[in-house]
């Protein structure tokens, strides 16, 4: 349940970066089709209607005709009339002489263009190429594991109870095993759980019970460390793969002069973006991985120390051991102190 919750939080955090940027002040959205024009916008005349006179424009006389059209009352075909289809008088001849812009585009040029959405993170993700999808998956898994381990170790910090551990060892020194078992019962401290397991199974095998309980606690503490170790190694390799694919794309289009500039710049950008993302994920995962590994090592040392202390104390409480200790500390009676037979 905790893993699913942290995974959802990771997706929400990543989707926050993918939101579109806010609209700039003064920028108006395009009007929907069929909507009336805004106030103050110039209106184009409807087909078949004369255009309204603009302020300051010269008024055309009723009897005057437009340049290039026959005058009123003059039949077509007269010497002064312009032929049909001829350019109007006063029009620029350079417009007809200039060549039309070439509309021929390389058929594969669109393969090297990326869609610009206006969002920085989405644009960089698109420029990174197809390798960015596995890198994104690795980043989501790394963020989920880090959040889950942070919550687990934070909860363990509040579960520690060193004062109760001291009370348990004091009770064992006083040969009160039942009191020590009662103090170590129903606790979330891993050291106390191991002690309770050893005290309740000492009749069978104290050392075996302590080893099993300590192994369970260490396994809980080292959960997902293998995953983090894999991500630390996998992320730079994915970035290197993106570098290779980007360079292949860049050098593969050098023979085509029309798309060489776009392909080379796009391929180099793809290589650098993928490499930077892979290294960033590895750095982000390496620091928590080393921290959690050190915490597991400290917990293992604490468990080994507590288990050794428990074994020594219980061994000293055995009846045979106590008799040997008492005999060893009894002072020897001198021979001169023996009673005479006189």
């Amino acid at each position: 349940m905790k893993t699913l919750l942290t995974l959802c939080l990771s997706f929400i955090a990543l989707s926050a970066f993918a939101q579109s940027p806010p609209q700039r002040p003064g920028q108006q959205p395009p009007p929907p089709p069929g909507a009336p024009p805004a106030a103050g916008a110039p209106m184009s005349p409807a087909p078949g209607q004369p255009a309204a006179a603009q302020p300051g424009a010269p008024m055309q006389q009723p009897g005057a005709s437009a340049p290039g059209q026959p005058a009123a009352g003059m039949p077509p075909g007269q010497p002064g009339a312009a032929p049909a289809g001829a350019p109007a008088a006063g029009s620029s001849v350079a417009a007809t002489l200039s060549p039309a812009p070439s509309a021929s585009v390389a058929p594969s040029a669109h393969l090297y263009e990326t869609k610009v959405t206006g969002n920085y993170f989405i644009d960089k993700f698109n420029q990174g190429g197809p390798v960015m999808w596995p890198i994104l998956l690795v980043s989501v898994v790394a963020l989920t594991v880090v959040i889950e381990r942070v919550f687990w170790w934070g909860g363990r910090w509040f579960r520690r109870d060193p004062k109760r551990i001291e009370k348990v060892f004091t009770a064992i020194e006083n040969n009160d095993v039942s009191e020590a078992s009662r103090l170590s019962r129903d606790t979330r401290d891993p050291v106390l759980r191991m002690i309770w397991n050893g005290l309740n199974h000492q009749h069978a095998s104290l050392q075996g019970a302590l080893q099993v309980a300590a192994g369970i606690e260490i396994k809980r503490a080292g959960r997902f460390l293998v995953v983090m170790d894999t991500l630390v190694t996998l992320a730079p390799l994915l970035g290197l793969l993106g570098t290779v694919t980007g360079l292949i794309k860049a050098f593969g289009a050098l023979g085509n002069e029309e798309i060489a500039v776009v392909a080379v710049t796009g391929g180099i950008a793809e290589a650098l973006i993928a490499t930077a993302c892979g290294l960033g994920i590895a750095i982000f995962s390496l620091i928590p991985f080393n921290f959690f590994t050190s915490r597991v090592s400290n917990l293992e040392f604490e468990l080994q120390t507590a288990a050794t202390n428990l074994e020594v104390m219980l061994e000293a409480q055995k009846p045979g051991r106590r008799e040997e200790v008492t005999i060893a500390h009894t002072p020897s009676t001198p021979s001169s102190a023996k009673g005479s037979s006189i």
Side-chain angles (χ1 to χ4, degrees), residues 39-319:
M43 299 179 61
S44 59
Q49 296 182 1
Q54 299 294 334
M59 298 292 293
Q60 187 177 3
Q61 299 295 331
S65 59
Q69 295 182 359
M74 181 180 294
Q78 294 296 329
S91 61
S92 176
V93 182
T96 59
L97 297 179
S98 60
S102 177
S104 62
V105 182
S108 59
H110 67 280
L111 299 177
Y112 300 93
E113 297 178 357
T114 56
K115 183 179 180 181
V116 179
T117 61
N119 187 281
Y120 177 80
F121 296 97
I122 295 180
D123 292 341
K124 294 301 180 183
F125 182 85
N126 293 332
Q127 294 175 6
V131 187
M132 294 298 295
W133 288 104
I135 291 179
L136 176 63
L137 179 62
V138 169
S139 64
V140 171
V141 175
L143 183 61
T144 304
V145 171
V146 170
I147 293 176
E148 194 274 339
R149 288 290 86 189
V150 166
F151 278 103
W152 191 90
W153 284 103
R156 182 187 174 275
W157 179 265
F158 293 102
R159 292 194 299 265
R160 292 304 308 273
D161 196 354
K163 294 183 179 180
R164 183 181 291 189
I165 295 176
E166 294 179 0
K167 293 179 181 179
V168 169
F169 285 130
T170 302
I172 295 175
E173 288 179 354
N174 297 330
N175 199 15
D176 193 355
V177 180
S178 60
E179 179 66 16
S181 178
R182 185 188 65 83
L183 290 173
S184 60
R185 188 188 302 117
D186 298 333
T187 180
R188 302 180 65 184
D189 192 303
V191 177
L192 289 175
R193 283 201 296 257
M194 183 196 65
I195 293 175
W196 181 86
N197 195 12
L199 292 176
N200 288 271
H201 297 85
Q202 61 176 335
H203 59 278
S205 176
L206 175 63
Q207 187 176 5
L210 292 176
Q211 289 179 357
V212 170
I216 293 174
E217 298 299 335
I218 293 175
K219 185 176 181 180
R220 288 178 180 175
R223 188 182 181 187
F224 296 131
L225 287 183
V226 178
V227 177
M228 295 188 65
D229 191 10
T230 304
L231 296 181
V232 169
T233 309
L234 181 61
L237 293 179
L238 289 176
L240 182 61
L241 178 61
T243 303
V244 174
T245 56
L247 294 179
I248 290 175
K249 180 185 295 185
F251 288 103
L254 289 178
N256 194 342
E257 298 180 357
E258 297 180 356
I259 61 175
V261 177
V262 179
V264 169
T265 55
I268 295 177
E270 176 180 340
L272 296 178
I273 291 172
T275 306
C277 292
L279 293 177
I281 295 172
I283 295 172
F284 171 77
S285 303
L286 180 61
I287 298 176
F289 172 72
N290 291 334
F291 174 75
F292 297 146
T293 304
S294 65
R295 298 306 302 172
V296 172
S297 300
N298 294 338
L299 178 60
E300 185 177 359
F301 175 75
E302 293 178 5
L303 292 174
Q304 289 179 356
T305 304
T308 303
N309 292 335
L310 182 61
E311 290 180 1
V312 171
M313 290 181 180
L314 292 179
E315 188 71 20
Q317 296 299 330
K318 290 182 179 181

